[in-house]
Amino acid sequence: MRNSYSTQAPKKATNLTLNSELLAEAKRLNINLSATMEKALEKEVKQRLKTEWLEQNAEAINACNELTENHGLFSDSYRVF
């Protein structure tokens, strides 16, 4: 799945509230908070977009599956396996 956003978009400063002990440990381990958050946010956005798409298209997906169940695939007569 391709990105739904530009990877070349400019960065924007923001504020986050984090567990202070977790933040201290991340700093001690030299974890890049911006990069880590961006990766986590990208993963979450992709998952939610997928869920949203499946919900919006559930009726069409179910209709297609029902049609296939009732009538099979048009290529069934050509399959050799």
Side-chain angles (χ1 to χ4, degrees):
M1 180 183 245
R2 65 182 184 151
N3 291 332
S4 61
Y5 64 94
S6 170
T7 57
Q8 302 302 315
K11 304 288 184 182
K12 180 173 172 63
T14 189
N15 293 323
L16 296 172
T17 303
L18 302 170
N19 177 299
S20 59
E21 291 182 9
L22 185 60
L23 180 59
E25 195 66 8
K27 284 183 178 184
R28 186 186 71 76
L29 295 167
N30 295 318
I31 294 173
N32 182 326
L33 296 177
S34 294
T36 301
M37 181 59 193
E38 193 166 312
K39 286 178 188 174
L41 193 55
E42 179 182 8
K43 182 178 177 182
E44 185 67 20
V45 166
K46 280 184 179 183
Q47 180 58 46
R48 290 194 185 202
L49 285 172
K50 178 181 175 182
T51 299
E52 180 181 72
W53 187 90
L54 288 171
E55 288 172 359
Q56 291 173 348
N57 293 284
E59 188 176 328
I61 293 168
N62 290 335
C64 184
N65 288 338
E66 186 177 325
L67 184 69
T68 301
E69 263 185 48
N70 293 337
H71 302 287
L73 297 172
F74 73 91
S75 63
D76 282 347
S77 60
Y78 298 104
R79 286 203 280 190
V80 292
F81 55 91

